Amino acid sequence: MLIEPPVVTAKPTRTSTSEAFKMLYLFVFDGDRAISMDDVSSLVAHVHACGWRVREISSPQAVHRLDCSGIERQTGLPVQFDHQIPSRSRGSSPKADAMLVIGATTSVIHSLASGFSGNYAMDVLNEALHLVPTAVLAKVDGR
């Protein structure tokens, strides 16, 4: 008799609310200029295919290289790169279930280790780092 392995679904569900998704906060830093808009778009599409939603938070330097309106259309959420002021507030952010940092330089990693927050993206990372599973993909130069 063959025993079939259990089917593992990549589409997790929330039990605390009626929402049937998990939320990934994607942090984009400017450390790796090789990261293209197509790369970010492909990553978001893959994460969506796994049943997750994506909220992108960028450093002020990286936001200028990104197609923010394209990311907003793809994710359904605004790209955030600075602190909200009341006149620009777009509502509360969904709670993060996981965080992914791409383009992290040595400076970003040192800031995380020391708790230094020089911009909105670092503020969010430092506040949630001990509460939310986080992966940091460092930018490594070729030397």
Side-chain angles (χ1 to χ4, degrees):
M1 179 170 123
L2 289 173
I3 299 175
E4 294 195 22
V7 176
V8 178
T9 178
K11 297 187 178 189
T13 59
R14 281 187 186 240
T15 55
S16 61
T17 68
S18 62
E19 303 169 72
F21 66 87
K22 289 233 178 196
M23 177 60 66
L24 173 73
Y25 276 21
L26 174 62
F27 293 86
V28 179
F29 288 90
D30 200 33
D32 191 350
R33 292 187 179 268
I35 296 174
S36 70
M37 185 57 217
D38 289 340
D39 294 334
V40 174
S41 181
S42 294
L43 176 60
V44 170
H46 179 73
V47 171
H48 281 167
C50 292
W52 289 64
R53 289 189 63 202
V54 178
R55 165 130 217 175
E56 184 175 324
I57 301 173
S58 293
S59 69
Q61 297 80 15
V63 78
H64 299 295
R65 294 184 37 249
L66 299 173
D67 174 14
C68 291
S69 61
I71 294 169
E72 289 179 13
R73 279 191 306 276
Q74 190 177 15
T75 64
L77 296 167
V79 174
Q80 194 159 357
F81 61 93
D82 62 358
H83 293 279
Q84 298 277 334
I85 55 176
S87 64
R88 285 187 25 205
S89 180
R90 297 182 181 177
S92 63
S93 297
K95 177 187 163 290
D97 294 295
M99 300 189 303
L100 175 62
V101 181
I102 60 175
T105 61
T106 304
S107 177
V108 169
I109 294 168
H110 286 192
S111 293
L112 282 173
S114 66
F116 176 75
S117 297
N119 58 51
Y120 178 75
M122 292 303 301
D123 286 348
V124 174
L125 273 170
N126 281 321
E127 286 181 20
L129 192 59
H130 67 287
L131 300 172
V132 179
T134 305
V136 178
L137 303 178
K139 187 264 182 202
V140 180
D141 60 3
R143 293 187 252 170

